[in-house]
Amino acid sequence: MTKKVFQRILYGGDYNPNQWPEEVWSEDMRIFKEAAINSATINVFSWAKIQPSEEEYNFTELDKIIELLSKENYDIVLATSTAALPAWMFKKYPEVGRTDFEGRHHKFGQRHNACPNSLVYQKYASRLAGKLAERYGLNPHVKCWHINNEYGGECFCETCEKAFRVWLKERYGTIEAVNKAWNLEFWGHTVYEWDEIVLPNALSEGIDYENTAFAGISIDYRRFNSDSMLNNFKMEREAIRNFDQETPITTNLMGTYKLLDYFKWAKEMDIVSWDNYPSYNTPTSYSAMCHDLMRGLKDGQSFMLMEQTPSQQNWQPYNSLKRPGKMRAQSYQAIAHGADTVQFFQLRRSIGACEKFHGAVIEHVGTENTRVFREVAELGKELTTLGDSLLEAVSTNKVGIVFDWENYWGVEYTSGPNKDLKYVDQIHHYYEYFYKKNIPVDMISVDSDFSKYDLVVAPVLYMIKEQLAERLSEYVKNGGHMITTFMSGIVNESDNVYLGGYPGPLREMAGIWVEEIDALAPEQTNTIAFETGEEYECQLLCDIIHTEGAEVVAHYASDFYSDTPVITKNEFGKGTVWYNGTHVEAEGLKQFLDLVVSERSLTPIVEQAEGLEITKRMKNDKEFIFVLNNNKEIYDIPKKLVGKKNILTGKMITEKDTLAQFDVMIIE
Amino acid sequence: MTKKVFQRILYGGDYNPNQWPEEVWSEDMRIFKEAAINSATINVFSWAKIQPSEEEYNFTELDKIIELLSKENYDIVLATSTAALPAWMFKKYPEVGRTDFEGRHHKFGQRHNACPNSLVYQKYASRLAGKLAERYGLNPHVKCWHINNEYGGECFCETCEKAFRVWLKERYGTIEAVNKAWNLEFWGHTVYEWDEIVLPNALSEGIDYENTAFAGISIDYRRFNSDSMLNNFKMEREAIRNFDQETPITTNLMGTYKLLDYFKWAKEMDIVSWDNYPSYNTPTSYSAMCHDLMRGLKDGQSFMLMEQTPSQQNWQPYNSLKRPGKMRAQSYQAIAHGADTVQFFQLRRSIGACEKFHGAVIEHVGTENTRVFREVAELGKELTTLGDSLLEAVSTNKVGIVFDWENYWGVEYTSGPNKDLKYVDQIHHYYEYFYKKNIPVDMISVDSDFSKYDLVVAPVLYMIKEQLAERLSEYVKNGGHMITTFMSGIVNESDNVYLGGYPGPLREMAGIWVEEIDALAPEQTNTIAFETGEEYECQLLCDIIHTEGAEVVAHYASDFYSDTPVITKNEFGKGTVWYNGTHVEAEGLKQFLDLVVSERSLTPIVEQAEGLEITKRMKNDKEFIFVLNNNKEIYDIPKKLVGKKNILTGKMITEKDTLAQFDVMIIE
Amino acid sequence: MTKKVFQRILYGGDYNPNQWPEEVWSEDMRIFKEAAINSATINVFSWAKIQPSEEEYNFTELDKIIELLSKENYDIVLATSTAALPAWMFKKYPEVGRTDFEGRHHKFGQRHNACPNSLVYQKYASRLAGKLAERYGLNPHVKCWHINNEYGGECFCETCEKAFRVWLKERYGTIEAVNKAWNLEFWGHTVYEWDEIVLPNALSEGIDYENTAFAGISIDYRRFNSDSMLNNFKMEREAIRNFDQETPITTNLMGTYKLLDYFKWAKEMDIVSWDNYPSYNTPTSYSAMCHDLMRGLKDGQSFMLMEQTPSQQNWQPYNSLKRPGKMRAQSYQAIAHGADTVQFFQLRRSIGACEKFHGAVIEHVGTENTRVFREVAELGKELTTLGDSLLEAVSTNKVGIVFDWENYWGVEYTSGPNKDLKYVDQIHHYYEYFYKKNIPVDMISVDSDFSKYDLVVAPVLYMIKEQLAERLSEYVKNGGHMITTFMSGIVNESDNVYLGGYPGPLREMAGIWVEEIDALAPEQTNTIAFETGEEYECQLLCDIIHTEGAEVVAHYASDFYSDTPVITKNEFGKGTVWYNGTHVEAEGLKQFLDLVVSERSLTPIVEQAEGLEITKRMKNDKEFIFVLNNNKEIYDIPKKLVGKKNILTGKMITEKDTLAQFDVMIIE
């Protein structure tokens, strides 16, 4: 099955013209053209419109929209509209709605409101997807299917409880295996029949939404819920494929969104797409990490930036305007990290309901005479000049940072030692180092082929699933290099501890034994001292380490474990395992990682470019270097780039050129 | 129908003698007389006492109390007791209780616990009001009916849901109109049948109590709930009027209480009454604003101070004692702003239950030998000397500040741009300026006759309901002057945005176009610079403004919109519209408003009296000037007042007189 | 009925071998011996294991464990396993679970999950206890029965509601008495039939979990809930006693745990046991107070330290390791205050579920080669040398501090004057003074024999139950001395105020009248000045006091009640009553209590030993002095102790000896 591919950078976004009369539509078309917009995502929330009752379907309006867009040669991203249920369905089949963690069954309202295991939902959602595919799937302007929208949330209803038991039977086979997996002997929770298992929410094992009495069942419920929604996705996908075998199918993801295991999801998607909504104070390194993660989901394949706002959000506490140039810089950041599309939510602002203050290409004023529009239009023209030159370009990186959703769930469900340990922050702490160094990284899964990397960084690798330890060991033995940290190698996939000493299956590789894990309250710190003398503050957690072959790189400098190792390095086979036993401040982490990086001869894309964000993509042997300035400082051009061509301007870069805030260069 | 009027300042308060044996009652009478107390509010929470079961009524005790009070010549404020249901009613008719926002149906307990749409409640509440009126309505000592008590809260039960649909049919006529009003096409929430509409709570459109996915339905539910309770009030009022056509009817309001549209309520009340409970740290300007608002509800008609505490509350986090003189100063503040009564909650302290630590005229010690009692008694004697001289006195003010409940709901339901925007704080920010200047203002509604005012101040006039824009435009054209601010002119009464550029229907009048609205996080500020050079800090929200005829009064001094206008002035017809695009610190607001005030020649009641609170009331061509000192500083007498008579002392004011904290003068 | 007594300090803890294969058990036995562990608490959470269905019991595994432990001569603490329900019981009898304060009925999950009034629970819990007693009660190694585990929580289900009404009938006899007790006339809550009474939760009188509209009903519900669980305890106890009349029976308590009236519970227990879990920042004085309270529960009888962690907890926000020596010091602190056992939770760490990061004697590494194990082992050997020398030793103290659970409930349910008033903090404020002085105290109940004490300290004795005032008065008249404070003498046992002036029934004894109670917000303070000139800061609450015979010890130094009394002293009969009208900083409290202590000639166990914790126990005329250093400072040996024998080392103490942090001496 060969999929259609994009012919140009999709530049457009969500268009929901239902709220306005048709005369507005044609004016919209004119304005979009002014901005070199070439695509529209449509039909995201129109189920009730298309299917006004159980018996009727009515495509009149959608026909018109698609006809109009097709006529004007827009690329269409066609959504299936299944992320918000029609009111009539709730009235007729109340069980179609979700029950929340508190055990309350919901009535009609909001969105992401369908129980993923509801047969009613499944029947009508796949029927709708099928009807859309039958009607529009062969329209050549339809370039992508967009199933549902921002899948998310959880359901805790009786239907799910029953489906969960079925899922468990498939996973575990016997009730004894369940008892063992969840260690149910603890507190005498042993079950003897499948229907003694109740789903974990506030009325059972859930202590509160963040905490649980039995991590085993709660992690499995997360898996089950993620799978249930993925089944919804697959079900719609199959319905589409009955009529359309060629158009790529996606659903829009949300970066590090916790509840869905995106690596598992991405396997089922033709192309990854995602929605990027940084806050006014989100570090640019965090956005970069998310982009890299989205690229990593399908092993480096380029992705769609499905949503960003042209300027302002509405749902954040403080919805700053994007300063002039910021939206452009953010758009190029996406491309620099692997995006093939730049799409906005939204093309035109709603007049009412909760997103009415969310930015749009066409604001409430209704004209093109706005700063925001002008920036959108300038970018549109620029992207047009890029043509297809960057589409499907790739990166080849030497460093992989491991991100694992099940581990994320496990780490944050664990009771103790320190409630402030947050998985994504730990990953970002390491990512940020490489980002600032302009050493490009891939975000990889625990199932990735490690052998592609010189260095694998796996902070807080708490949960070691089957084969993972072996695969890591093999990787290092064969000459790979790896960094890991405190709270790694602790539990198996059921959150049961590996007995015999931390870091469990990583102990031999790391050449250390962690005897104790101290937890520091926010007002407490320790100090780490490198063997070369430098000292840095550390906090959060402090492993007390015994070397078992490893070399000591740094030790603690205070408390009763003063002088014991904190950072260690162990030769293992042909490779090396580095272990960091604490959360050290960024400067200290820099000293540690500088050491690793210099040993491994990992180099920045461009040297001496501190402060700039620099990435590289390759296509057909052509190399494109992206240079962004996200800071207020004005930077000189790194020498290595002088004399090369900036394809955004078509000009050669001279020594006198500088980069002001939000300036971007793409250098061929 | 001519209403009875008060013959003297009602001085007394809530009296609930049921908790004590009758011998205590006569001792109470003696003590009240010591304090010159002349009235009592009774029967506020006695339903279960009066109606011990569905079949029986028993007025024995109430008869005795009324007889006793009548004999002693007290003015009686007779409550109808319907604010807390009898336990038997809950047992027999559980549906009479409320369902809360979380969807939980409540059992017997607390108060304000009746579903306003319960037919059971309606039947028995109106029957009780009728029986009371039949029995006591013609007693000449009954000077006022007090229906229910502090109406408030909301119900989200099925009965209300059904009633809501009926209310909607009346408001909108067709289901299409509902879809349009609430912009239900957004997120595909289109409804086709009335019974597809579910009320907005935590189980449907309510995100949490403060936030909603669809402001349209949530604002309408607020309207519906306010109307439902108002119907309860009217129903009791009608039941009373069957037997008593003369005694004025009120219910006690609560200042800026959010959930009920008091301007609509006041139309149905003969006299406004309210409960004033400042905290230890409530600014006096805030209390003054509330008094003015209560006076404004019936267009300047004097009101009742139904409740205040003699000294201490119980339900605040920190229930400070009122310092000596403070209760007196607060009482005169009420009178200065339009009160005809000074009533306490409560005359005698309860021995048990949650208000037992709430202050009272007779404390738990049971005697008149307390500081609090002495202060009450001194005030009582003073008020006696005032006789009816101040009753129904009026004020005529040149400045009107607009307060609108529906706008209040709309502003605070809106998602974005800045969650910290609070409507009442914004109103108070402007009120405080005039208060400190001693320029008296009226708090007015959007339906008020603007032509009575030289200056209409309408901060955050987010919701512009039908005809309002025309009426404001007419007002200004004819020579009126108006101030408005950021987040004005944004939506219609259904919370749908006026397209075509902010501030929508006010754009032409204001002579500006607001292109963007920046939101500042708490740690961020901008600066505004007057054209005359002075600079002030601003925060929260910053409109980015283009003048369209308006003159620039001040501009921003930083960020990318530095040098663009922030305060503008536009001549429109014979009048002027001033617009302030940000939340500026008080000193900056002062500079702006000083300009307006000086242009309009609005003058303080007394010049050079900064620090004192000065108001004026008039009766039969007599002018009474109230002077209060709420501060620790000791002030000289403003010159203008020297030589006039302080009717509280009967003495002429000399140059040597001063005002210490809590001192009060009423100058004729 | 003569109870078996312990022959040695029980040193061991919770052992839950079910999670591991039997080969691990024998290795465990070996390791325990290494640590001189001599006892194990078993079967705490095994109900589902022992009773896999309604019809079957299966003791196979428990038989093996008991056989193994018996063979190895361990003392066994045998738990009844009834603190967590089997899953099958929930499935079959859903009503066996609890309904929470929010009104939500729970499903299977967590622990402490049985409705105490469920007949199903009662039937099967007592049957299980009986079967265990029948099978193991005569085993001589079984030294103690441990019923349930950490009884706690509350149930608000319909079964409880009905049982509550029965409990009320027994307590009050008539519905009129209930109306009076709860002052239900307030807000017209009068009830006429028993079934009009609904239990107080979030759906009725409960404002939120901490606050109530009617303290009377909420306090009674606390009593009822405490009694209901106590009935569960007694029911199991009786079931055991059918087969075993000799083995002492306990359940593990939790210090100042709020919900259960432990003084009432202790009457039904043969020996008190409790679980001590200080946080990293819990003051040692607080732990000491809890130990003294546990000793006080049975009037000085020594108690069991049933649980402490060898090093780390898991459920606190920040679970610090216990520094080297700290666990030993904490163990001796327990013994110093009256413990006869030192038991850990747990002997071996769980591999999964929420306590997997809770410290244990055998950590996840599974060996004895850990710091924690070595410390456990060293302590074990030390305790072995002590033999039975300290078992059942007693203390005779001159100071009693009153602690009362019903008062605790009353104080914290009260609405006003200051929400920050916390009962336990107030008790600790006074306790800490004596602790730092090394003047030993008993924690006593309101029913204790006061005549045994020179000084009775009763801070915030808000609720004065029947006879208490008379008993205190008698005590003082006969030469006793008493300290009490603000918020004392306010209400009777139903939370109804004593009319006639605060502190009600204590007024005459104290020789004062409290006219008003000022509440200070956190940012406010007042100053107290001793008549001798020293000044200290005070806050929270300030009584305004008139002396009625009392002498003034200190007065306020600011605000309108400046110069009025704050600390007073009244001779009453042959004794004295001291009254402190505010919360004064520790230094000020010290000055006040130094005065009292010096007047009463109360002396420290050892003089000039500031910084050390010193207590004394006596057995058969032998006196044991315990000296602990909890601080970082190194202290010299108090002179008085030089030349005596430290039984832990067997050596005489010399002048040159010092005490470093966590050092302990037991001096004979």
Side-chain angles (χ1 to χ4, degrees), chain C residues 364-415:
Chain C
H364 285 138
V365 69
T367 73
E368 62 268 50
N369 179 25
T370 65
R371 174 185 73 91
V372 168
F373 182 85
R374 284 188 296 274
E375 295 198 27
V376 168
E378 283 162 27
L379 177 59
K381 284 158 202 163
E382 225 170 46
L383 293 178
T384 306
T385 69
L386 292 178
D388 65 352
S389 59
L390 292 166
L391 285 181
E392 301 186 75
V394 296
S395 312
T396 319
N397 301 318
K398 296 291 182 194
V399 179
I401 298 182
V402 175
F403 193 98
D404 183 38
W405 266 269
E406 299 188 338
N407 185 51
Y408 185 0
W409 303 336
V411 166
E412 299 194 358
Y413 268 140
T414 276
S415 171

Side-chain angles (χ1 to χ4, degrees), chain B residues 329-349:
Chain B
Q330 289 177 334
S331 302
Y332 282 115
Q333 187 188 41
I335 295 173
H337 288 268
D340 277 354
T341 79
V342 172
Q343 294 164 280
F344 298 105
F345 180 79
Q346 47 193 344
L347 291 187
R348 184 182 252 279
R349 271 203 196 200

Side-chain angles (χ1 to χ4, degrees), chain C residues 32 77 117 119 130 167 377-378 394 432 475 556 606 630 642 667:
Chain C
F32 297 157
V77 177
N117 289 297
L119 295 176
W167 185 93
E378 283 162 27
V394 296
E432 192 183 22
Y475 162 67
Y556 293 106
V606 174
N630 299 304
V642 171
I667 294 157

Side-chain angles (χ1 to χ4, degrees), chain C residues 287-438:
Chain C
S287 304
M289 180 181 80
C290 292
H291 287 306
D292 285 351
L293 179 59
M294 295 298 100
R295 189 186 69 243
L297 291 183
K298 287 191 81 73
D299 214 15
Q301 182 184 313
S302 56
F303 59 87
M304 303 169 73
L305 177 64
M306 182 66 87
E307 292 187 14
Q308 68 173 347
T309 175
S311 177
Q312 200 162 29
Q313 276 105 45
N314 72 289
W315 48 267
Q316 293 169 348
Y318 309 106
N319 300 280
S320 292
L321 299 173
K322 291 187 181 178
R323 270 52 199 153
K326 188 170 186 179
M327 181 278 290
R328 176 174 176 263
Q330 289 176 336
S331 301
Y332 282 114
Q333 188 188 41
I335 295 172
H337 288 268
D340 276 355
T341 79
V342 172
Q343 295 163 279
F344 297 106
F345 180 81
Q346 48 195 342
L347 293 186
R348 186 183 252 279
R349 272 203 197 200
S350 289
I351 61 162
C354 68
E355 293 182 332
K356 69 179 183 291
F357 281 121
H358 197 290
V361 171
I362 304 177
E363 301 273 19
H364 285 138
V365 69
T367 73
E368 62 268 50
N369 179 25
T370 65
R371 174 185 73 91
V372 168
F373 182 85
R374 284 188 296 274
E375 295 198 27
V376 168
E378 283 162 27
L379 177 59
K381 284 158 202 163
E382 225 170 46
L383 293 178
T384 306
T385 69
L386 292 178
D388 65 352
S389 59
L390 292 166
L391 285 181
E392 301 186 75
V394 296
S395 312
T396 319
N397 301 318
K398 296 291 182 194
V399 179
I401 298 182
V402 175
F403 193 98
D404 183 38
W405 266 269
E406 299 188 338
N407 185 51
Y408 185 0
W409 303 336
V411 166
E412 299 194 358
Y413 268 140
T414 276
S415 171
N418 191 318
K419 77 173 187 58
D420 293 345
L421 174 62
K422 300 293 169 200
Y423 181 62
V424 176
D425 290 351
Q426 291 300 319
I427 299 297
H428 179 251
H429 194 45
Y430 280 79
Y431 181 90
E432 192 183 22
Y433 166 81
F434 294 98
Y435 173 84
K436 287 192 169 164
K437 276 283 197 188
N438 290 311

Side-chain angles (χ1 to χ4, degrees), chain B residues 439-489:
Chain B
I439 297 172
V441 309
D442 285 348
M443 299 296 293
I444 62 177
S445 83
V446 290
D447 299 321
S448 293
D449 176 4
F450 304 132
S451 70
K452 286 165 43 183
Y453 299 97
D454 259 19
L455 179 65
V456 167
V457 184
V460 190
L461 193 62
Y462 168 78
M463 180 185 287
I464 303 280
K465 289 173 275 194
E466 45 176 348
Q467 265 99 52
L468 177 58
E470 289 73 4
R471 290 178 49 249
L472 286 170
S473 170
E474 206 62 28
Y475 161 68
V476 178
K477 269 189 195 149
N478 292 333
H481 305 279
M482 173 177 168
I483 296 173
T484 189
T485 73
F486 61 88
M487 285 295 273
S488 294

